[in-house]
Amino acid sequence: MSTIDGLPAHVLLVHAVVVLVPLSALLLVLVALWPAARYRLVWPALVLTLLALVAVPLTTDAGEWLEHHVARSALVHTHTELGDTMLPWVIGLAVVAVVLAARHVLDVRDRARREGPGAALAPETARATPPGGTVATIVIAVLTVVLALGSVVTVYRIGESGARAAWTGRFSEQSQPLPGGPPPSGGG
């Protein structure tokens, strides 16, 4: 993908990554750590994480195209290299999202079998320890937090390097007059 309506696709698609990855990370942490949230947020978390999993390679591919259509610089190179580090984090989030959703399904089925269908759907009766036991819950929770933090930090680092690549040396510290308008008031 190269352009969308005359603009480089990367500069538009990156917004999806910047929103979807941190939002997915937050929802997954809530699902992993808070049993009541699991029943309300497991499916939105899974869907948003899978959307992020699609958005990241599309954005990276569009960024690679853009890299070959802008002036080469160390800042652009750094941004491109950092951009390539996002996909493994999002794959990790997607795996955790699928595991959390699978545990949720198993928990709902187990409770429906034991207590009846109504109890299985009530978030207030959510068990702190879904199928797999306490050790599995702790391992999944720790892994989820690590992946969430790593993915959010990676999004930040990539975005910051992209902003530096796009804007370093391309703006003035001083206000500029509008074309044909009066000069800006400078307070001095």
Side-chain angles (χ1 to χ4, degrees):
M1 186 176 299
S2 56
T3 62
I4 298 174
D5 197 25
L7 292 172
H10 179 73
V11 300
L12 300 172
L13 292 171
V14 74
H15 293 87
V17 173
V18 168
V19 170
L20 290 172
V21 172
L23 184 58
S24 297
L26 173 64
L27 290 178
L28 289 171
V29 167
L30 289 173
V31 168
L33 299 178
W34 187 13
R38 186 177 309 128
Y39 284 80
R40 290 182 174 90
L41 300 176
V42 69
W43 300 116
L46 177 64
V47 169
L48 289 175
T49 304
L50 294 177
L51 287 173
L53 185 60
V54 170
V56 166
L58 288 175
T59 304
T60 304
D61 184 55
E64 304 237 342
W65 178 88
L66 183 58
E67 178 187 20
H68 298 291
H69 291 85
V70 297
R72 302 236 183 234
S73 73
L75 293 173
V76 170
H77 179 73
T78 297
H79 176 63
T80 303
E81 293 297 311
L82 283 172
D84 290 337
T85 66
M86 189 73 249
L87 188 57
W89 289 106
V90 176
I91 290 170
L93 289 177
V95 169
V96 165
V98 169
V99 168
L100 289 168
R103 289 184 89 208
H104 172 72
V105 168
L106 292 173
D107 187 30
V108 168
R109 285 184 184 167
D110 181 48
R111 288 190 311 129
R113 203 171 315 131
R114 285 183 293 113
E115 304 167 22
L121 300 176
E124 57 276 357
T125 64
R127 294 186 300 172
T129 307
T134 303
V135 173
T137 298
I138 292 169
V139 168
I140 292 168
V142 168
L143 184 60
T144 301
V145 170
V146 168
L147 287 168
L149 287 173
S151 65
V152 170
V153 167
T154 302
V155 165
Y156 170 80
R157 291 181 65 219
I158 295 166
E160 189 270 342
S161 72
R164 286 193 185 281
W167 289 102
T168 296
R170 296 195 179 148
F171 71 97
S172 172
E173 294 284 338
Q174 304 299 318
S175 294
Q176 301 297 304
L178 295 173
S185 57

